[in-house]
Amino acid sequence: MIRPRRLRKNEAIRSMVSETQLSVNDFILPLFIEEGEGIKKEIPSMPGINRFSLDQLDAELKEIVDLGIPSLMLFGIPKNKDAEGSHSWQDNGIVQQSIRYIKENYPSLYLIADVCFCEYTDHGHCGVLVNDQVDNDLTLTNLEKQSVSLAKAGADMLAPSGMMDGMVGAMRDALDLDGHSDMPIMSYAVKYASAYYGPFRDAADSAPTFGDRHAYQMDPANRKEALKEADLDVDEGADILMVKPALSYLDILRDLRERYTLPLAAYNVSGEYAMLKAAAAKGWIDGEKLMIEKLICMKRAGADLILTYHAKEAAEILQGKI
Ligand code: PBG
Ligand code: ZN
């Protein structure tokens, strides 16, 4: 009889035949930075995750470096919002300031800037409104300004998350023209209109004040359309493709894995984090075990990189500290 159990007998053989390894090198930790001073506010639906002002960030950054987490995804929360989100392309914008500060004091950290407007607009949509709809091409013009500004501030990589048509191509052209042809773009290529983003919108103060994002983010029912979105971003010059959310969309990640040689990223989003934390707090699941399991499943499905709010805890476990 062929007995697959022979290779499951003990931990030694199990780890020898393990097909997937989780590494801290794969983690990107999202970080929320709020304009102002003296701010360290825990996000109620995301235990362990805070909004920081820049002056309160040192302890967190030291910990991140000590844990060996290589990279951050930066989200900014400005004091003042307007209809276009113009704070997002100011030289002294909150993310621009943060990039300069972190690069100067923690040069080993690889800084990825989220490129979108929903944290910066007074209506909370991801672009410029015309008749209460996000106007694609007006938004592209602003995305170009934001991208160049973030590149000038010293970002290592840009990650457009607004699901505008042509966003990668527009950014690529603007960056190249301004002398940033080395700047990589990680596109939120396949981003679904998901209720899993709820806690993030509290964290980043970016909920739309009316309507929803279904006119730009994708319908969770669609799979072929994911390939179309990803094909377009590859044609436009994306360097890395992201699928978001992660867990309910691992089939999409696998589809992309089979189709492209580009590195793929999975965004383990706020709602996925919140659900795990809530169930663990109730003692209904083992939070640490489930966290490692779900992160491994993302890699098994095809992710090379994982954006996750669990990065610090997972790094501790991988280092044997827990
Ligand atoms: C904004 C943005 C969102 C997330 C990342 N960038 C929210 C949204 O589209 O409403 C979600 C991240 C998360 O839920 O962790 N464009
Ligand atoms: Zn947005």
Side-chain angles (χ1 to χ4, degrees):
M1 209 200 321
I2 296 178
R3 296 178 184 274
R5 288 183 52 185
R6 289 176 192 135
L7 300 183
R8 295 183 200 136
K9 186 148 186 183
N10 56 37
E11 182 50 33
I13 186 63
R14 286 196 293 274
S15 53
M16 285 162 75
V17 300
S18 168
E19 299 175 37
T20 309
Q21 275 77 39
L22 202 57
S23 159
V24 69
N25 295 329
D26 308 325
F27 294 153
I28 301 166
L29 176 66
L31 196 63
F32 301 105
I33 307 174
E34 183 171 352
E35 204 181 5
E37 273 120 55
I39 304 164
K40 182 183 175 188
K41 266 191 298 213
E42 191 171 43
I43 297 138
S45 51
M46 300 177 75
I49 305 297
N50 296 280
R51 276 194 202 195
F52 294 96
S53 51
L54 204 42
D55 62 337
Q56 299 296 308
L57 210 52
D58 284 305
E60 180 79 1
L61 292 169
K62 281 194 190 102
E63 209 183 324
I64 289 164
V65 171
D66 287 347
L67 285 166
I69 295 167
S71 176
L72 302 174
M73 170 75 95
L74 302 177
F75 293 97
I77 302 136
K79 265 191 191 136
N80 298 310
K81 306 188 184 220
D82 62 22
E84 293 200 41
S86 64
H87 182 101
S88 67
W89 62 81
Q90 304 304 319
D91 253 358
N92 63 346
I94 180 60
V95 173
Q96 287 83 349
Q97 281 180 43
S98 304
I99 291 169
R100 287 192 200 96
Y101 179 81
I102 300 171
K103 275 284 157 200
E104 194 174 322
N105 296 286
Y106 304 88
S108 67
L109 286 173
Y110 190 87
L111 300 183
I112 308 174
D114 181 83
V115 185
C116 197
F117 300 102
C118 47
E119 298 106 74
Y120 304 97
T121 50
D122 49 18
H123 45 74
H125 279 286
C126 299
V128 184
L129 296 183
V130 175
N131 299 327
D132 283 354
Q133 290 283 329
V134 175
D135 186 279
N136 195 85
D137 297 10
L138 290 177
T139 302
L140 292 184
T141 306
N142 289 347
L143 269 177
E144 293 167 11
K145 291 190 251 181
Q146 189 183 7
S147 300
V148 168
S149 168
L150 292 166
K152 282 206 170 92
D156 291 301
M157 180 183 282
L158 301 182
S161 65
M163 290 297 283
M164 294 304 124
D165 296 335
M167 66 183 182
V168 173
M171 284 172 59
R172 185 72 275 154
D173 289 348
L175 289 166
D176 290 354
L177 261 177
D178 204 69
H180 305 285
S181 52
D182 287 342
M183 174 67 69
I185 298 176
M186 172 163 69
S187 179
Y188 288 66
V190 187
K191 178 173 178 182
Y192 287 91
S194 172
Y196 284 112
Y197 307 150
F200 174 94
R201 292 179 187 170
D202 298 335
D205 205 5
S206 65
T209 54
F210 68 91
D212 54 40
R213 303 208 201 288
H214 289 81
Y216 39 106
Q217 298 178 350
M218 270 181 57
D219 181 345
N222 293 357
R223 181 174 171 192
K224 296 191 281 286
E225 191 187 359
L227 298 178
K228 173 173 153 188
E229 280 285 359
D231 279 347
L232 287 168
D233 284 5
V234 172
D235 284 350
E236 291 173 30
D239 299 282
I240 299 178
L241 300 174
M242 189 200 297
V243 173
K244 178 182 175 193
L247 282 179
S248 301
Y249 298 84
L250 294 184
D251 56 331
I252 307 298
L253 194 60
R254 173 51 50 180
D255 286 345
L256 265 59
R257 176 74 296 154
E258 279 164 9
R259 191 167 173 113
Y260 308 104
T261 53
L262 260 62
L264 300 180
Y267 199 138
N268 176 209
V269 299
S270 59
E272 297 172 330
Y273 179 86
M275 285 163 55
L276 186 148
K277 288 292 172 191
K282 285 198 173 259
W284 289 354
I285 52 146
D286 181 328
E288 280 172 14
K289 287 209 176 94
L290 188 55
M291 167 181 73
I292 295 296
E293 178 181 330
K294 73 173 184 174
L295 294 171
I296 284 187
C297 290
M298 290 170 207
K299 287 207 74 180
R300 188 206 61 227
D304 300 293
L305 304 166
I306 303 176
L307 293 110
T308 181
Y309 304 97
H310 293 294
K312 281 167 52 186
E313 298 166 273
E316 283 179 356
I317 290 180
L318 293 174
Q319 286 189 354
K321 283 192 183 162
I322 296 184

